[in-house]
Amino acid sequence: ERKLTAFIWFHHKLIVIPQKFYFTHFLLLQNRMFLLSSWAPLVHLDPIPTWLLKFCIDELLPVITEMVNLSIRGELVPVNWKCALVKPLFKKVDLESVLNNFRSVRNLSFISKFAEKLVFQQLLLHCSENALLPSNQSAYRKHHFTKTCLLKVQNHILLSMDWQEVSLLVLLDLSAAFDTIDHKLLLN
């Protein structure tokens, strides 16, 4: 088990969480709405199917809430929440069956994803309220989409053209960023 640290890596930027930030305890009602709105496919790491968990929510929610709160209070993530099933998927349909042409998809247990979403929600709220996110940050924020980002870039280029300035746009394709993974080490 590993202690949670007082910083997060968010959109290629290290954000130090001020000492005044504390996770608040999750409430049953908040968790109920969040859990019911969550969709997750069945993962073989889950002790019961997601549909059954949602069906028995009134009985299981106090236990789940306490598990998440204990994890936050103790600053520990249980080992079984860190386990994942790794599935290799083709990067593109028409590639040959060679290890480098696969990407790994990790499926975590439902409770692990649920706890992660609850923690993420509080961190994002804190970062938004304290203006810790860059103004151009488009990922992981409501009402900030890829289209919004592209429109903003296009607008900057058009404005530069109006002002008769030179514009240079450099695009970086990171689709092959994980090709450097040692697949033998990953399989072991």
Side-chain angles (χ1 to χ4, degrees):
E1 297 180 336
R2 187 174 176 185
K3 254 189 167 193
L4 297 172
T5 52
F7 60 86
I8 59 170
W9 187 258
F10 195 78
H11 193 62
H12 309 292
K13 180 180 179 186
L14 186 66
I15 299 176
V16 178
I17 305 298
Q19 292 300 323
K20 66 179 182 174
F21 175 76
Y22 297 98
F23 286 105
T24 58
H25 292 285
F26 298 105
L27 307 173
L28 287 175
L29 182 61
Q30 173 192 17
N31 284 0
R32 185 179 215 289
M33 292 185 299
F34 202 68
L35 193 135
L36 287 174
S37 66
S38 296
W39 179 86
L42 177 64
V43 177
H44 294 292
L45 296 171
D46 292 327
I48 62 172
T50 308
W51 66 266
L52 183 58
L53 184 132
K54 288 181 178 184
F55 183 76
C56 301
I57 192 168
D58 294 324
E59 292 79 16
L60 295 175
L61 191 58
V63 176
I64 293 170
T65 301
E66 186 61 21
M67 287 168 54
V68 173
N69 284 333
L70 281 172
S71 175
I72 297 299
R73 228 181 354 253
E75 298 179 346
L76 297 170
V77 178
V79 174
N80 60 343
W81 289 8
K82 299 177 193 178
C83 293
L85 291 177
V86 180
K87 294 181 181 179
L89 293 179
F90 274 114
K91 293 177 187 173
K92 295 179 184 171
V93 180
D94 45 335
L95 295 175
E96 61 182 273
S97 185
V98 179
L99 276 180
N100 287 341
N101 292 334
F102 288 93
R103 63 183 175 94
S104 62
V105 175
R106 290 165 303 286
N107 290 328
L108 297 167
S109 67
F110 180 78
I111 187 70
S112 175
K113 287 185 275 191
F114 178 67
E116 179 184 349
K117 285 179 185 178
L118 288 171
V119 167
F120 175 76
Q121 189 180 40
Q122 282 192 17
L123 278 174
L124 188 60
L125 180 67
H126 175 76
C127 289
S128 297
E129 287 175 349
N130 293 290
L132 296 173
L133 298 175
S135 60
N136 294 331
Q137 171 79 33
S138 291
Y140 313 112
R141 295 172 82 178
K142 283 186 179 179
H143 312 297
H144 289 78
F145 308 101
T146 306
K147 287 181 182 178
T148 312
C149 181
L150 290 173
L151 287 171
K152 191 168 192 167
V153 169
Q154 180 186 20
N155 187 49
H156 282 300
I157 292 171
L158 291 174
L159 286 174
S160 294
M161 289 170 69
D162 286 345
W163 298 328
Q164 296 182 342
E165 295 177 344
V166 176
S167 296
L168 176 65
L169 178 63
V170 178
L171 300 173
L172 179 62
D173 181 8
L174 294 176
S175 62
F178 297 103
D179 286 349
T180 59
I181 293 175
D182 183 353
H183 293 284
K184 291 178 185 172
L185 180 65
L186 183 64
L187 291 172
N188 289 333

